[in-house]
Amino acid sequence: MQDTRIDIYQGPQSIKLRPYEHHVKYYETDQMGIVHHSNYIRWMEEARMDYMAQIGLDYKQMEEMEIISPVLEVHCQYKSMVHFSDTVVIETKITHYNGIKMSVAYRMTDKATGELRTVASSEHCFLNRSGKPLSLKRSYPELDTRFFQMMNEES
């Protein structure tokens, strides 16, 4: 299988981001042995959490800083069916970030065949623990810089 990691330059060092892999469980399928559509949204969240941890913006740490990032929108376009025991490779990238909102794109392919399974996106905002909108640029400039770096490096 080809190496799908992305090199991200960070000053004197760079990191390789690896796509998230999900091995389909039996309980994620319906009576026809096909993955139920609701599971793709869960996989997107798993992939996003993995991506953020890889870029040094672990979601748990953000929550400890009292930053939450709820989902505002989700779009999912199913291209081909996923079945029990398949492994899906999920490539994740930030497509838009402005300090207050962030959009993330996902591309899901079959690990064995490379066949495109799903393309999806999600949009998120940043709030404080009280549920008030939060500008990372103003309140957490180091996080703001990191999100901008990741969006620009992947373009």
Side-chain angles (χ1 to χ4, degrees):
M1 183 172 141
Q2 116 186 36
D3 185 3
T4 56
R5 295 179 295 178
I6 303 167
D7 280 319
I8 302 295
Y9 181 73
Q10 297 183 335
Q13 70 196 47
S14 66
I15 59 172
K16 277 198 178 246
L17 296 179
R18 62 178 173 8
Y20 181 75
E21 293 187 10
H22 180 84
H23 187 77
V24 178
K25 315 298 185 286
Y26 182 76
Y27 69 83
E28 295 175 306
T29 63
D30 59 20
Q31 287 182 331
M32 297 177 288
I34 299 167
V35 170
H36 188 271
H37 65 275
S38 64
N39 289 295
Y40 293 82
I41 307 305
R42 288 185 181 102
W43 301 348
M44 290 163 58
E45 183 172 320
E46 291 171 12
R48 188 173 62 256
M49 296 301 102
D50 180 71
Y51 172 89
M52 290 184 64
Q54 286 187 67
I55 67 172
L57 294 171
D58 185 81
Y59 199 79
K60 179 136 177 74
Q61 292 171 324
M62 289 178 62
E63 283 189 337
E64 288 168 358
M65 298 167 73
E66 302 203 353
I67 302 168
I68 57 175
S69 184
V71 175
L72 299 173
E73 285 183 30
V74 175
H75 297 275
C76 200
Q77 188 175 29
Y78 306 99
K79 300 291 190 176
S80 61
M81 293 179 278
V82 178
H83 299 87
F84 167 62
S85 200
D86 288 351
T87 297
V88 178
V89 176
I90 306 172
E91 297 172 51
T92 307
K93 84 181 217 180
I94 298 171
T95 57
H96 174 77
Y97 171 78
N98 66 8
I100 299 168
K101 287 184 180 180
M102 168 179 71
S103 298
V104 181
Y106 310 86
R107 186 173 192 279
M108 302 181 200
T109 56
D110 184 273
K111 183 175 182 176
T113 67
E115 184 178 355
L116 180 62
R117 299 294 189 202
T118 307
V119 289
S121 63
S122 59
E123 186 171 312
H124 310 264
C125 66
F126 298 98
L127 305 175
N128 65 21
R129 266 290 170 218
S130 303
K132 303 269 190 241
L134 182 65
S135 167
L136 294 185
K137 183 174 187 143
R138 200 172 317 128
S139 302
Y140 298 95
E142 67 286 356
L143 295 180
D144 179 70
T145 299
R146 190 74 178 118
F147 275 115
F148 267 119
Q149 285 174 335
M150 293 313 299
M151 185 181 65
N152 292 328
E153 290 288 339
E154 295 175 350
S155 299

